[in-house]
Amino acid sequence: MGKIFYLDDICGSLSMEKKKTKKKLREWARSRYRLVVMNDSTFEEKFSLRLTPLGLIILIGAISILMTTLVISLVAFTPLRAYIPGYAEDVTLNEKLILLQEKTDSLSLASREKDIYLNNIRLVLRGEIPADTMMNPKDTMIKYTDLRVVPSAEDSALRKQIEQEDKYSVTVGDDRSKNSIAGFFFFTPVKGTVTASFSTPESHFGVDVAAPENEAIKATLDGTVIFAGWSNETGHVIHIQHSNNLVSIYKHNSKLLKKAGQYVKAGEVIAIIGNSGEYTSGTHLHFELWYNGNALDPQDHMLFK
């Protein structure tokens, strides 16, 4: 029984001590203090502030909450967030920057290509380089010796026709010289049906190829446009000067896409098929080849079907 009373006394003592501590803490928190700023020489009071420890704690807490809210607001709703590493960036802004960079690269590339093109035209007009000289240098990154090119059946047939061009040539006395065009690979200007073949007795020095409207007409070889204009008989006509004194002529077009002096590559679109001029009765292309001043039969050098 004595032990039980002794433990109760201890518990009661601890409870009283806790109450006294809490009372002292409340009294300290509510104690009033005065903060005074005085002149050190005259002891004149310049500023005084009455405060309590509890009020000081509340003031510091309120200032901390206010500063935290202000910083979060600045980060979330102002451009300052862009300077914080790892903060989520504006996806729309990044997309716009990427599009602007792509447009800038495209404009820069187009500007360089235009400068090269104008420089080529300037050199051709001055006569400083041959009209059929390629300005682009050989790509040294490609191993040309390792390329394997397997010709198609149409290509083999066309090569065989070109190799036998002298056998079917309409030119009399044409000698095989170093300027021969036997090794040329002609690009077909337009695919279609041949409605009128080459005929020297009828003074038809080319072929007529019928094709659908708005079909693109392409250059048969690399060369320079030496004439692009209109005549009453043949409508819109374009002439291209190629190497080895070879000239190709395209007649009865509805629209010309190249001008005199421009350099074109084989397969490049130069006109749109049409039915212009008096010597025509339907949409077609009249195509001629002239080598050293002599007319050649285009069907001996290319396939139109």
Side-chain angles (χ1 to χ4, degrees):
M1 295 296 291
K3 289 183 180 181
I4 294 174
F5 287 118
Y6 181 72
L7 291 175
D8 288 342
D9 292 340
I10 294 175
C11 291
S13 301
L14 291 175
S15 178
M16 291 297 294
E17 289 294 332
K18 289 182 179 179
K19 290 180 179 179
K20 289 180 181 180
T21 303
K22 291 181 179 179
K23 184 177 180 181
K24 290 181 180 179
L25 185 60
R26 284 195 298 269
E27 290 177 354
W28 173 81
R30 295 176 179 176
S31 300
R32 296 181 178 275
Y33 295 90
R34 182 185 295 273
L35 177 64
V36 180
V37 178
M38 301 179 61
N39 191 318
D40 187 56
S41 300
T42 62
F43 298 102
E44 180 183 359
E45 184 177 334
K46 297 294 183 180
F47 173 76
S48 65
L49 176 64
R50 183 182 298 175
L51 47 80
T52 62
L54 180 61
L56 181 61
I57 293 173
I58 293 173
L59 178 62
I60 294 174
I63 294 175
S64 300
I65 294 173
L66 180 62
M67 293 298 294
T68 303
T69 304
L70 180 61
V71 171
I72 293 175
S73 300
L74 288 174
V75 171
F77 303 106
T78 64
L80 290 175
R81 62 179 179 272
Y83 296 96
I84 299 178
Y87 193 85
E89 299 180 353
D90 190 353
V91 178
T92 306
L93 180 60
N94 288 340
E95 292 179 354
K96 292 180 179 178
L97 290 175
I98 292 173
L99 290 175
L100 288 175
Q101 185 176 4
E102 291 179 352
K103 290 181 179 180
T104 303
D105 293 340
S106 300
L107 290 174
S108 178
L109 178 61
S111 177
R112 290 197 298 270
E113 291 179 349
K114 185 176 181 180
D115 291 340
I116 294 174
Y117 171 77
L118 293 176
N119 186 50
N120 291 346
I121 294 298
R122 190 180 301 110
L123 294 175
V124 170
L125 295 178
R126 290 178 179 176
E128 297 179 2
I129 61 173
D132 59 346
T133 300
M134 296 297 294
M135 293 297 296
N136 296 328
K138 183 178 179 180
D139 190 353
T140 57
M141 300 297 294
I142 301 177
K143 297 181 179 179
Y144 294 93
T145 56
D146 297 335
L147 295 179
R148 296 182 179 179
V149 181
V150 180
S152 61
E154 293 82 0
D155 180 64
S156 299
L158 180 59
R159 291 174 182 270
K160 185 176 181 180
Q161 290 182 357
I162 294 175
E163 291 172 356
Q164 298 177 353
E165 65 172 1
D166 285 345
K167 180 178 179 181
Y168 302 100
S169 177
V170 298
T171 302
V172 179
D174 182 26
D175 58 340
R176 298 177 62 91
S177 64
K178 64 175 70 177
N179 293 327
S180 174
I181 61 172
F184 282 15
F185 182 82
F186 291 86
F187 195 95
T188 304
V190 65
K191 293 288 186 178
T193 302
V194 177
T195 57
S197 300
F198 181 91
S199 177
T200 305
E202 297 177 4
S203 298
H204 192 257
F205 301 109
V207 293
D208 293 341
V209 184
E213 293 184 1
N214 299 323
E215 192 74 17
I217 304 300
K218 305 175 183 65
T220 188
L221 292 169
D222 297 351
T224 302
V225 178
I226 57 176
F227 176 79
W230 166 272
S231 69
N232 293 331
E233 294 80 7
T234 56
H236 293 287
V237 183
I238 185 168
H239 296 192
I240 301 178
Q241 174 70 59
H242 309 289
S243 61
N244 289 26
N245 202 20
L246 180 69
V247 177
S248 60
I249 301 175
Y250 315 77
K251 298 181 179 180
H252 305 301
N253 303 288
S254 62
K255 184 177 181 181
L256 302 180
L257 304 180
K258 299 296 180 180
K259 298 180 180 180
Q262 287 186 296
Y263 181 81
V264 296
K265 294 182 179 181
E268 185 175 352
V269 178
I270 58 174
I272 303 298
I273 197 170
N275 187 30
S276 61
E278 298 177 357
Y279 298 165
T280 180
S281 58
T283 302
H284 76 287
L285 168 68
H286 178 84
F287 177 67
E288 298 178 4
L289 279 177
W290 293 82
Y291 177 54
N292 288 330
N294 299 304
L296 302 179
D297 186 354
Q299 288 185 280
D300 291 340
H301 304 280
M302 64 193 74
L303 299 174
F304 291 93
K305 294 182 180 180

